[in-house]
Amino acid sequence: MKNSWREALIGLCLAALPVAAMFVLVVLPAFEGLRFSLGYVPGDNPAYSTGSHLVTSSTPTLEVYRTLLSSPFVQADLRLTLTVTLFTVLLILLVGYSLALLVRFGPGRLGAAVRSLYLIPMFVPVVIAAYAFITLYGSRGWLDALLHHVGIGYRSPIYGIPGIVMGLVWSHLPFATLLLGSGLDALPEEQVEAARDSGAGFLSILWRIILPLNLTPTMIVAAFSGISVLGSYTVPALLGPNAPQMVGVAMEQYFGAYRQPQGAVALAMITFALAAAIGALYVWGISRTRRHG
Amino acid sequence: MQPVRRLEAVWFMRVPQMRRALLWILVLALGFFLLMPLLTLVLWAFADVWRYPSLLPQMYSLKWWNWVFHNGNLGKSALWSFTTAPVVVLLAWVICLPAAYAFSRLNFPGKRFFFVALLAADSFPRFGIYISVATLFFQWGLIGNYWGVVLVQLINVIVTMTWIPTAGFDGVPRELEEAARDSGANPLQVFWRVTLPLALPSILVASILAFLSAFDEAQGTLVVGAPDITTLPVLMYSLVANYPEPVGAVFSILLSIPNLLLLIFARRILLSGYLAAGFGVR
């Protein structure tokens, strides 16, 4: 039994490295932030103690959250964030599935072409993607010009909710398609063939066989994209309306423009609570397929 | 079970030509969505005069390339980008790869908890972390400091660099290791000759993603690195806001070239399922 003790000790030491890094770089700062948002203002921290609208208290108080959540602006921000997250995740699944299905079941050349295209957004920095979207879809952009020649009126979606959604879908597509595609590759070929032989159409195969068997990857993609979209910054900072804003951008404004670090940190906590709910869903999803430990 | 309703449009789907046409429309729409933004950007980079509603620039020139290349900030930012991102990857190897091996091969208490805890920490909104991290770094003298920037970029790669290689080690057949051991190799030799080479593709995939994430990071780098350390994406933010379209376009192309080279090199390996395995698919 000496060996298993040694193994446990070595295992713990090795695993401790990333856990410790995560603790110092994320958990500790997050905990500091939580205390700050509950009214504990550290005097030795100028970034915190020089903020305006500070709530200072020796006992934990939810005052900051109360003020924040009762503001109609913040409410609008949160509503916008949830709307964008919902639509973005749905569209990521829809487009991601279209691409993954084309690669898996599309005619040979087509599948290969799609396969070499869909990875591109992964390699383009997000700030560039957002900028490219403005040049294409913006008012007086390329699409505007094209439709002008055809004689169709165009109102640019880029500074509205659709602009944010489009940008976020674009940047999350490679990840989603890769994961969904891997799930499809693992599908038993015979089952699909059998259904096809018995005369089932593509849609009913999709609905009755492919989607149920590919549920886990679908949930994983939904959860990861959801968390990432919730806290996203670059795309909603460059695209979308000036107000209301996604919470990621609102946080930055609270910290920078309004000089209210406490509000910024509290917003981060609220977003984290939402992300944690999605994360719990993910953990439940993978614990059904894979057991670690 | 719900009866499948036969809609009027179904006849359309029964004609093979129609079906093929629909498929191609779908593909073209997706192609447009994926590529057209980048193509527009390429046109802008070579445009001198491009007035609405022309579909192509009226006059082409390279003058903005000249302008960008003679802007002193470009070289400086490129240097910062290419000295931080690779170091982030190296540091992530040191921190995460031994742990990935442990998560895959060793039994120790709290294994599953730690593995999932990494994700929990990772789902904290970035900007909230950056604000708090900045105040910690301020106390430690890491603001405006090279290592401060490396550490802030490291935050985003820890989960990737742990999870994907864990799945990679999981995928190495134990029988191969046992066979090597039976033929007289010691544990270290087994690891270097058998386990590591077989897990290498997944490590490469994780490294590519880590590099991209570090290279792309702007928000934390701005908060921690300001005012001295501006990487390329940080510079891009100010260029987009303050200069005419071609400048941002030229800069975008320059910034994308290293990544697109990486894409050509990494395409096959990225498509082989290691990423999905790392996130629990299969």
Side-chain angles (χ1 to χ4, degrees):
Chain A
M1 282 295 99
K2 222 180 86 199
N3 241 349
S4 76
W5 269 104
R6 240 186 71 187
E7 188 183 325
L9 195 66
I10 296 176
L12 273 176
C13 287
L14 296 181
L17 282 168
V19 174
M22 222 46 177
F23 186 80
V24 173
L25 293 172
V26 177
V27 179
L28 208 65
F31 185 70
E32 274 295 301
L34 177 67
R35 286 190 352 141
F36 178 48
S37 74
L38 292 174
Y40 172 83
V41 180
D44 60 344
N45 185 339
Y48 284 178
S49 57
T50 59
S52 64
H53 294 80
L54 276 186
V55 173
T56 313
S57 161
S58 50
T59 51
T61 165
L62 290 175
E63 190 54 38
V64 180
Y65 292 91
R66 215 169 288 140
T67 318
L68 211 56
L69 289 175
S70 64
S71 148
F73 300 108
V74 175
Q75 287 169 7
D77 287 348
L78 283 170
R79 259 198 307 276
L80 177 97
T81 305
L82 292 176
T83 314
V84 166
T85 306
L86 182 72
F87 279 106
T88 306
V89 169
L90 286 178
L91 272 172
I92 286 171
L93 288 176
L94 187 73
V95 183
Y97 258 115
S98 311
L99 290 170
L101 287 169
L102 276 172
V103 170
R104 178 77 166 80
F105 298 108
R109 249 182 328 148
L110 194 68
V114 173
R115 193 189 270 267
S116 52
L117 284 185
Y118 77 74
L119 280 178
I120 288 175
M122 188 182 253
F123 290 80
V124 176
V126 187
V127 56
I128 291 174
Y131 183 61
F133 266 64
I134 298 174
T135 62
L136 174 59
Y137 298 110
S139 151
R140 301 192 154 243
W142 194 85
L143 187 63
D144 193 349
L146 180 71
L147 293 178
H148 175 86
H149 287 289
V150 190
I152 303 173
Y154 179 75
R155 261 192 61 216
S156 170
I158 215 72
Y159 294 115
I161 291 180
I164 312 180
V165 173
M166 277 159 54
L168 287 170
V169 169
W170 196 85
S171 58
H172 285 87
L173 264 186
F175 176 80
T177 311
L178 266 175
L179 258 65
L180 294 173
S182 281
L184 292 184
D185 285 343
L187 283 183
E189 189 95 25
E190 315 84 62
Q191 219 165 335
V192 178
E193 286 300 318
R196 197 180 279 173
D197 289 344
S198 66
F202 181 73
L203 285 180
S204 80
I205 293 180
L206 183 67
W207 188 246
R208 300 258 166 82
I209 298 175
I210 295 178
L211 287 183
L213 285 178
N214 213 26
L215 197 61
T216 312
T218 310
M219 277 174 45
I220 292 171
V221 167
F224 268 85
S225 329
I227 290 174
S228 162
V229 167
L230 262 184
S232 62
Y233 173 77
T234 305
V235 168
L238 292 174
L239 310 178
N242 283 326
Q245 277 285 13
M246 294 274 288
V247 281
V249 183
M251 267 178 239
E252 209 265 340
Q253 284 180 337
Y254 264 85
F255 187 73
Y258 310 156
R259 303 237 155 268
Q260 295 181 31
Q262 220 171 10
V265 170
L267 266 178
M269 295 297 158
I270 295 170
T271 316
F272 178 58
L274 295 170
I278 303 178
L281 191 80
Y282 167 76
V283 170
W284 176 73
I286 46 164
S287 65
R288 290 179 26 174
T289 54
R290 149 163 140 155
R291 312 238 166 245
H292 237 285
Chain B
M1 199 169 276
Q2 216 180 329
V4 181
R5 287 215 11 228
R6 297 257 167 240
L7 298 172
E8 288 299 313
V10 165
W11 69 265
F12 185 87
M13 293 298 289
R14 298 216 170 159
V15 185
Q17 285 87 349
M18 292 291 188
R19 216 163 49 208
R20 203 165 307 138
L22 209 64
L23 189 69
W24 275 103
I25 291 172
L26 177 72
V27 171
L28 286 179
L30 288 173
F32 182 94
F33 180 66
L34 279 173
L35 290 182
M36 205 52 212
L38 300 177
L39 289 179
T40 322
L41 212 54
V42 172
L43 282 177
W44 264 117
F46 296 98
D48 188 13
V49 180
W50 190 357
R51 287 195 204 88
Y52 176 85
S54 168
L55 289 178
L56 291 171
Q58 281 97 352
M59 276 166 75
Y60 295 89
S61 93
L62 290 174
K63 77 171 181 207
W64 295 107
W65 289 82
N66 212 6
W67 190 91
V68 169
F69 276 114
H70 287 91
N71 179 332
N73 291 328
L74 175 74
K76 220 174 65 189
S77 300
L79 193 67
W80 283 123
S81 273
F82 286 107
T83 47
T84 49
V87 172
V88 171
V89 176
L90 289 178
L91 193 60
W93 282 351
V94 174
I95 292 176
C96 302
L97 291 184
Y101 183 79
F103 278 124
S104 170
R105 286 298 153 93
L106 304 179
N107 270 316
F108 53 92
K111 184 160 122 171
R112 178 161 173 80
F113 171 77
F114 287 131
F115 194 73
V116 174
L118 287 177
L119 171 76
D122 200 44
S123 61
F124 202 90
R126 288 287 168 255
F127 193 68
I129 293 298
Y130 296 150
I131 300 172
S132 296
V133 156
T135 63
L136 272 182
F137 281 16
F138 186 76
Q139 289 160 2
W140 299 342
L142 286 173
I143 292 291
N145 175 294
Y146 171 79
W147 288 105
V149 171
V150 168
L151 285 177
V152 87
Q153 293 180 354
L154 181 73
I155 297 176
N156 298 317
V157 309
I158 290 177
V159 167
T160 317
M161 198 56 106
T162 310
W163 279 28
I164 297 177
T166 298
F169 286 123
D170 277 349
V172 178
R174 303 240 172 172
E175 305 85 61
L176 279 180
E177 291 175 346
E178 275 156 26
R181 197 171 289 193
D182 287 345
S183 60
N186 67 37
L188 212 61
Q189 281 174 324
V190 173
F191 179 78
W192 283 109
R193 299 268 172 78
V194 180
T195 316
L196 192 62
L198 287 173
L200 204 59
S202 70
I203 296 175
L204 265 175
V205 167
S207 307
I208 290 160
L209 294 182
F211 176 83
L212 291 175
S213 147
F215 192 80
D216 199 3
E217 213 295 318
Q219 228 187 343
T221 308
L222 184 66
V223 172
V224 171
D228 297 332
I229 302 181
T230 50
T231 55
L232 290 169
V234 173
L235 182 62
M236 174 80 188
Y237 270 98
S238 72
L239 287 182
V240 167
N242 303 322
Y243 292 94
E245 274 95 346
V247 172
V250 168
F251 195 75
S252 299
I253 292 175
L254 286 176
L255 188 44
S256 305
I257 287 173
N259 288 358
L260 290 174
L261 289 177
L262 192 60
L263 168 66
I264 294 166
F265 159 76
R267 199 180 83 88
R268 280 236 337 254
I269 195 166
L270 266 176
L271 288 168
S272 4
Y274 297 104
L275 173 72
F279 284 89
V281 175
R282 275 194 263 183

